[in-house]
Amino acid sequence: TNKEVQIGQTLKDDEYIGMVRREVLDDFLRQRAKKNGATLINGLFLGMTLPEKKGDSYVLTYNDYEDEQGNARKGVKKSLEVDVVIGADGANSRVAKDIEAGDYEYAIAFQERMKIPEQKMDYYKDRAEMYVGEDVSPDFYAWVFPKCDHVAVGTGTVVDKKGIQRYQQGIRDRAATRIEGGDIIRVEAHPIPEHPRPWRVEDRAILVGDAAGYVTKCSGEGIYFAAKSGRMCAETIVKNSQQGSRMIDEADLMEHLREWDGKYGPTYLVLDLLQKIFYTSDAARESFVELCEEEYVQKV
């Protein structure tokens, strides 16, 4: 029916739905970490050698792109010994592979960054749009999200990855009047984990964020949970290592997992149920849209 529901009216003055540009956010986080004492390495992580016995170090192998002796494109192969590894290296995590954390089902997300006319951009100044329907995704949703001076137009699916281009055309058609005259400035595609990996901890190595599978069903939210899981994990390590004076072990990292699962497990469960109930047919999606009109649902 193309029925529209505005779901922002229950937000308080200090509440908002944040939209980020990863090319800006990621560099901000890196520079803040450097300012606070972290050593940044511009390189490509290739893999790691696991400890052979208790107390041994992990040996990380990477290509260093800033070594003056190396080719700028290939870098110089180097190694680094560390006591603890936090794998925050995304859905295709090499850390997860090295610790044999197991696989997960994933959705494919596809989006086009579009520069649209300024008067149309004004419409998205304080608005993000989610679209549902078989024409835009058989099991997820499509979107038009503002990115400061342009918009991201995209969709995702688990069950029909080969049909992603068809669903992308569907969201272009549905949002046609609002993005008319837009020029595509970037095309992006990436996997979205559908559930946590079977194992997230092995000895003194742990996974966080997309590497662990911390993306919510229904909404596909992952950036907040990536940042939050990384912070909570690091805080646990700092505390249990007594500011670096004690070597931690797997039990210390399991403490973080129990805290994480206790705090956010119910959120993942509820959103998983919502997706299974409401993203299955157009009739169910119509019910979902109508449900979103309820003030109580919006507050939740």
Side-chain angles (χ1 to χ4, degrees), residues 8-27:
Q9 58 261 34
T10 61
L11 291 176
K12 298 177 182 177
D13 291 341
D14 61 344
E15 293 178 332
Y16 60 92
I17 300 172
M19 293 286 149
V20 301
R21 288 172 292 163
R22 292 295 301 274
E23 64 271 22
V24 176
L25 174 68
D26 291 9
D27 185 63

Side-chain angles (χ1 to χ4, degrees), residues 201 206 232-233 235-237 239-240 246 249-262:
V201 172
I206 186 169
M232 288 175 63
C233 181
E235 288 172 345
T236 299
I237 291 172
K239 180 189 71 173
N240 290 357
R246 168 187 171 271
D249 55 26
E250 186 170 311
D252 296 302
L253 298 180
M254 289 300 297
E255 178 184 320
H256 159 67
L257 283 193
R258 287 191 295 272
E259 181 185 12
W260 174 265
D261 290 342

Side-chain angles (χ1 to χ4, degrees), residues 35-54:
K35 183 179 179 181
N36 284 285
T39 299
L40 301 188
I41 298 175
N42 178 20
L44 174 66
F45 174 62
L46 301 174
M48 65 184 184
T49 302
L50 307 183
E52 293 186 0
K53 60 182 184 295
K54 186 176 181 180

Side-chain angles (χ1 to χ4, degrees), residues 215-233:
V215 177
T216 59
K217 293 287 190 72
C218 198
S219 69
E221 169 60 49
I223 295 177
Y224 171 82
F225 294 105
K228 189 67 173 181
S229 61
R231 177 181 287 254
M232 288 175 63
C233 181

Side-chain angles (χ1 to χ4, degrees), residues 112-116 121 149-153 168 172 179 182-186:
E112 296 165 321
R113 303 277 196 106
M114 289 188 181
K115 188 79 172 179
I116 61 176
M121 194 66 214
D149 60 351
H150 63 282
V151 294
V153 181
Q168 181 66 12
R172 287 196 208 104
I179 62 173
D183 294 320
I184 297 173
I185 57 178
R186 183 185 300 179

Side-chain angles (χ1 to χ4, degrees), residues 81-97:
E81 293 188 12
V82 299
D83 293 327
V84 184
V85 175
I86 301 177
D89 50 339
N92 296 317
S93 171
R94 285 188 170 97
V95 174
K97 182 178 180 180

Side-chain angles (χ1 to χ4, degrees), residues 123-144:
Y123 174 79
Y124 290 105
K125 184 178 181 181
D126 294 305
R127 178 182 284 106
E129 291 183 323
M130 295 171 59
Y131 292 77
V132 291
E134 287 288 341
D135 57 330
V136 297
S137 176
D139 58 337
F140 202 55
Y141 69 89
W143 61 85
V144 180

